Amino acid sequence: YFNQQLASLAETGVALDKGLRILAKDLRRGRLRKAVEEMAADLERGTPLSEAIDRRANLFPPLYAEILKSGSFRLFRGSVGG
């Protein structure tokens, strides 16, 4: 679900920080929601996406983190855990 929603937002041109805020509201309280909210805050402060993801390396598997960093998640919309 998360991946599909993130890809949909990216396709519509929503800024990533705003998109993450939207997604966070849809997530249940927990580690993922907190991480998404923190990533949005990092991006709003001007932190590069790669750094925001690396700060949460314990939550995102390395391959998934690299996909997010590259923006390639759009290519995997229907196939990556979504």
Side-chain angles (χ1 to χ4, degrees):
Y1 171 79
F2 177 79
N3 295 319
Q4 289 176 331
Q5 296 300 321
L6 183 59
S8 292
L9 288 167
E11 288 174 358
T12 62
V14 172
L16 188 55
D17 57 337
K18 289 182 171 68
L20 290 173
R21 291 276 183 208
I22 292 167
L23 288 176
K25 290 178 183 178
D26 287 341
L27 295 171
R28 293 185 317 236
R29 299 219 179 267
R31 287 184 344 147
L32 181 58
R33 181 177 179 164
K34 182 178 181 203
V36 170
E37 289 171 339
E38 290 172 351
M39 284 178 57
D42 283 350
L43 296 174
E44 289 164 352
R45 286 189 293 271
T47 302
L49 176 61
S50 59
E51 187 177 326
I53 291 169
D54 288 343
R55 289 180 181 174
R56 288 141 195 101
N58 63 326
L59 185 62
F60 298 112
L63 178 59
Y64 185 74
E66 291 304 316
I67 289 169
L68 286 176
K69 289 178 196 178
S70 72
S72 298
F73 56 87
R74 294 180 201 150
L75 302 175
F76 297 98
R77 180 177 175 181
S79 61
V80 177

